[in-house]
Amino acid sequence: MWATLDQVIDRLKQGRNVCVIGHAKPDGDAISSVAGLVAILERYGIAAAGCIADQLPWYYRSLPGTERISTPDKVRGQSFDTTVIVDSSDLSRIGGAEVLLGGAPPDITLDHHRTNEGFGKLDYCDSGSAATAMIVLEISRAMVPLDEELAQLLLLGIATDTGFFKFANADAEVLARAAELVQQGARLQPIASAVLEHRSLSTLKLLGRLFDTIQVREEGKLAYGWVSEGMLRETGCTDQDTEGFVGEIRALHEVEVAVLFVESPPGEVHVSLRSKSYVDVSEVAAALGGGGHARAAGCSLHVERLQEAVDQVVAAVAQAIRESS
Ligand SMILES: [Mn+2]
C-alpha cells in the first residue's frame, strides 16, 4: 500500500527488531541504503540487522559502516518484528534474502525506481529521488542527528547513483544534500577511489576483449558489446568484474543507448541498458521482464546462445530509438 514518508517513519519507530534488506548483486546505493538505515535505527535505539543475498563486491568493504551488512544465513535464526526492503523495484530483486520474510510481504519498502508497483504493507517510492540513499537521508533527519559515519554511508549511495554527480539526476537537491553530508565530515575521495579505481589487471584485459566486440547501429546512436562466459573464464574474471563496463560503451561519441550483455552462467544473459538523454530504457527493460530507470535499466534473459539475447535486445532498442527520435 502506498504510504507517505511520515507513515513509514512512524512504522519504523514502532520496530524493536528490524531487518533491512537490499537487492542482490548490490550496488553502491543498495549498500548505502541498507547500512545507512541500520545505522539510523541503532542510533535511535532500535536493534537492526542489514542483509543482502550476495557478498558485497570486495572494494566496498574498505568503506566504514558496510560491516553492518551480512548474508541471509548469518541472520536467519533471528526473529524480526519489522522487515524493510530498500532500493528494490520488486520482491525478486532481493534474491535469496526472501527466506527472511517467511512468506509474508515486507512491512516497509523504500525505493526510487519508476517501475516499482508496490509490494509491501507500506510502500514509499519516489522516482524523483536520485538515490534511495536520498530517501534514507530524509528519514535520518526525522529520527537522529547526522554524524560523520552516517554522512559517509549516505554519501555513497548518492554519489554512485548519480555517476559521481554527472548524470541527469544530479540536480540542485542532490548537490545540496551532498554538500550537507560533506559539511558533516563525509569525504568523497575514499568513495570515488574504492568504486572507480579498483580494477585489476585481469579486469582491464577483459574490458579490452569487450571493446573488440562493440558494434554500432542506428547511425551511431546504438552501441553494444558482450562478455561471454568464455571471455570471463579465459581472463579469470567473474560477472562482478563487469561493473561499469556499460558506461565505457556509452562514452562513445554520439551514442544514445549503450547495451552490455554478460553471459554468466551459460544460458543466462544479464543485459545492462544505459541512455544519454532521451530514450527511456526502463520501458525496453520492462518489456523484457526487467526494470530500472529512464537512463539506466536492465533485465536477465534465459537463452540457448548469447547471440539470441543480443539479437532480441538490439532489435527492441533500435525500435525504441526510432520511435523516440
Ligand atoms: Mn538506487
Side-chain angles (χ1 to χ4, degrees), residues 216-223 248-258 274-279 321 325:
V216 173
R217 295 269 181 90
E218 302 301 307
E219 298 159 322
K221 294 191 191 105
L222 164 58
E248 304 285 348
I249 305 176
R250 183 166 60 178
L252 199 57
H253 183 56
E254 287 186 334
V255 154
E256 170 58 22
V257 181
R274 298 288 184 277
S275 63
K276 260 184 200 156
S277 61
Y278 59 87
V279 174
I321 289 173
S325 36

Side-chain angles (χ1 to χ4, degrees), residues 217 224 226 261 263 269 303-314:
R217 295 269 181 90
Y224 62 95
W226 59 84
F261 299 87
E263 180 189 32
V269 178
V303 287
E304 289 276 308
R305 294 177 314 113
L306 173 59
Q307 192 61 44
E308 286 170 37
V310 174
D311 293 344
Q312 188 185 354
V313 175
V314 165

Side-chain angles (χ1 to χ4, degrees), residues 23 27-30 33 87-88 111-113 129-133 157 161 293:
H23 60 77
D27 59 6
D29 191 29
S33 305
D87 200 39
S88 307
D111 189 30
H112 70 131
H113 295 90
S129 268
T132 300
D161 261 21
H293 308 287

Side-chain angles (χ1 to χ4, degrees), residues 130-178:
T132 300
M134 287 282 284
I135 301 170
V136 176
L137 174 57
E138 276 297 303
I139 293 173
S140 85
R141 289 159 169 284
M143 292 181 72
V144 293
L146 205 54
D147 57 45
E148 188 181 319
E149 193 207 27
L150 191 50
Q152 186 72 34
L153 274 175
L154 296 178
L155 187 60
L156 169 65
I158 298 170
T160 53
D161 261 21
T162 60
F164 288 83
F165 308 101
K166 69 182 180 307
F167 296 158
N169 61 1
D171 56 15
E173 176 75 6
V174 160
L175 297 175
R177 295 289 86 79

